[in-house]
Amino acid sequence: MTREQFDREARYGTAMTAARSMHGRGIINDRDYRKIETIMRGKYQPIFSDLTSEINGPNP
């Protein structure tokens, strides 16, 4: 994994942690969460997103 790939993974992870937090607190709904995930996957193109996909919503 290159440094650039690592940075993309880290940024994606940070963005999704924030999205999960907002979803858990009721700030965003399932639809908003899925939209955020789709946008972040496109923006950061994380390598491991297929292995850890959360497209069906965050895990409890």
Side-chain angles (χ1 to χ4, degrees), residues 10-45:
R11 289 182 184 122
Y12 173 78
T14 299
M16 294 313 299
T17 296
R20 275 191 300 278
S21 177
M22 289 187 289
H23 183 267
R25 293 170 37 201
I27 296 170
I28 61 173
N29 60 29
D30 290 342
R31 182 177 173 208
D32 295 333
Y33 179 87
R34 287 190 301 271
K35 185 174 183 179
I36 290 168
E37 183 183 28
T38 299
I39 292 167
M40 293 300 109
R41 288 172 108 205
K43 180 176 183 175
Y44 295 116
Q45 302 174 356

Side-chain angles (χ1 to χ4, degrees), residues 1-4 6 14 31 33 38 41 52-53 57 59:
M1 175 182 290
T2 67
R3 178 65 185 188
E4 181 183 343
F6 178 82
T14 299
R31 182 177 173 208
Y33 179 87
T38 299
R41 288 172 108 205
T52 61
S53 178
N59 296 325

